[in-house]
């Protein structure tokens, strides 16, 4: 089963993606996590990507396509979180004959997005996602899964959040129409604060596809 998770920043794609990946034993690929790793390792790609990411802008298509495409070509089953985000990235999947079975579209209101991102914490080591209010770690500041340090991402300032939502509306919303026309899109109400509610709906939609 090859799955794409679509939706604005803060819609919960990463959290739900991790839950589905564990349940279904399918690898999850987040281009945001892969790029943050390149930045942390100070690679050439990371140095190029950082300035775009800090502002909340998209990293150029060629860089993103290069880091993801070879990882998924030939795989039987994967979940993509945060890719594709532009029409050019959709085309890169098609030209590599990578077939998609279902696209889950996380629909969420702007006030929920802002609130969620302002209270989100991410593990520096394994990229697990927490939320101070809804999904707190057992020990403050420490990842339940790996014991890593939890931190707030640089692109979670109010200005960067607003810019990320604007860029999403402009660049990625057209993908919703594209995949709807292709008959692959399934809408999910991503407003509930309890991730289990969204997870159950997502799992059911994937199993029905
Ligand atoms: P995310 O963790 O998915 O919110 O991604 C964080 C940041 O990484 C985004 O704001 C972009 O700067 C960059 N990024 C992640 N995935 C992509 C992509 N598919 N295309 C372009 N930029 C991306």
């Amino acid at each position: 089963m090859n799955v794409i998770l679509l939706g604005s920043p803060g819609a919960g794609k990463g959290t739900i993606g991790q839950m589905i990946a564990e349940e279904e034993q399918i690898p999850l690929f987040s281009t945001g996590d892969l790029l943050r790793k390149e930045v942390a390792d100070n690679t050439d790609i990371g140095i190029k990507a950082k300035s775009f990411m800090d502002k909340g802008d998209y990293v150029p298509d060629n860089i993103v396509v290069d880091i993801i495409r070879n990882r998924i070509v030939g795989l039987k089953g994967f979940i993509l979180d945060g890719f594709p985000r532009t029409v050019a990235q959709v085309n890169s999947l098609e030209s590599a004959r990578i077939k998609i079975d279902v696209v889950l579209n996380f629909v969420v209101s702007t006030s929920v997005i802002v609130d969620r991102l302002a209270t989100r914490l991410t593990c520096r080591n394994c990229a697990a996602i927490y939320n101070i209010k809804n999904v707190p770690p057992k020990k403050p500041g420490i990842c339940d899964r790996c014991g890593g340090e939890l931190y707030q991402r640089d692109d979670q300032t109010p200005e960067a959040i607003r810019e990320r939502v604007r860029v999403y509306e402009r660049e990625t919303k057209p993908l919703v129409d594209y995949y709807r026309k292709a008959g692959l899109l399934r809408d999910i109400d991503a407003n509930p604060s309890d991730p289990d509610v969204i997870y159950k709906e997502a799992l059911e939609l994937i199993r029905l596809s």
Side-chain angles (χ1 to χ4, degrees), residues 66-120:
D66 273 358
I67 68 167
I68 190 76
R69 198 162 50 177
N70 289 342
R71 288 183 157 92
I72 58 173
V73 153
L75 269 191
K76 295 229 167 16
F78 56 76
I79 305 172
L80 296 179
D81 163 16
F83 184 92
R85 262 169 148 114
T86 63
V87 174
Q89 293 175 20
V90 171
N91 293 340
S92 78
L93 287 176
E94 288 176 2
S95 62
R97 296 182 194 284
I98 296 170
K99 190 179 150 284
I100 300 302
D101 298 301
V102 63
V103 179
L104 300 184
N105 181 33
F106 289 63
V107 182
V108 67
S109 73
T110 308
S111 59
V112 171
I113 294 171
V114 173
D115 193 48
R116 236 179 234 170
L117 289 180
T119 50
R120 175 185 283 180

Side-chain angles (χ1 to χ4, degrees), residues 8-10 56 58 108-110 113-114 117 158-173:
S8 98
Y58 283 176
V108 67
S109 73
T110 308
I113 294 171
V114 173
L117 289 180
E159 309 84 81
I161 292 172
R162 269 193 293 276
E163 177 62 9
R164 283 163 69 201
V165 173
R166 263 197 300 271
V167 173
Y168 171 78
E169 298 278 336
R170 190 181 66 225
E171 302 286 341
T172 307
K173 268 278 176 72

Side-chain angles (χ1 to χ4, degrees), residues 3-160:
V3 183
I4 289 174
L5 308 181
L6 262 191
S8 98
K13 304 181 301 294
T15 304
I16 305 303
Q18 281 171 7
M19 295 165 90
I20 297 170
E22 273 166 35
E23 173 70 24
E24 298 288 278
Q25 297 286 300
I26 313 177
L28 169 73
F29 298 93
S30 152
T31 41
D33 288 347
L34 293 169
L35 288 166
R36 279 185 287 281
K37 171 103 181 36
E38 300 283 344
V39 172
D41 293 347
N42 216 18
T43 63
D44 288 348
I45 289 178
I47 291 164
K48 280 188 206 136
K50 187 173 180 349
S51 59
F52 296 96
M53 294 172 76
D54 283 349
K55 279 187 286 181
D57 289 338
Y58 283 176
V59 172
D61 288 322
N62 60 333
I63 296 180
V64 185
V65 168
D66 273 358
I67 68 167
I68 190 76
R69 198 162 50 177
N70 289 342
R71 288 183 157 92
I72 58 173
V73 153
L75 269 191
K76 295 229 167 16
F78 56 76
I79 305 172
L80 296 179
D81 163 16
F83 184 92
R85 262 169 148 114
T86 63
V87 174
Q89 293 175 20
V90 171
N91 293 340
S92 78
L93 287 176
E94 288 176 2
S95 62
R97 296 182 194 284
I98 296 170
K99 190 179 150 284
I100 300 302
D101 298 301
V102 63
V103 179
L104 300 184
N105 181 33
F106 289 63
V107 182
V108 67
S109 73
T110 308
S111 59
V112 171
I113 294 171
V114 173
D115 193 48
R116 236 179 234 170
L117 289 180
T119 50
R120 175 185 283 180
L121 293 173
T122 306
C123 176
R124 223 180 259 291
N125 182 45
C126 75
I129 300 163
Y130 297 85
N131 185 284
I132 299 166
K133 286 202 238 164
N134 308 323
V135 191
K138 292 195 181 97
K139 282 193 208 148
I142 309 280
C143 178
D144 296 351
R145 278 181 16 182
C146 75
E149 180 203 355
L150 302 183
Y151 78 112
Q152 188 157 33
R153 279 167 40 184
D154 294 341
D155 59 3
Q156 282 170 197
T157 60
E159 309 84 81

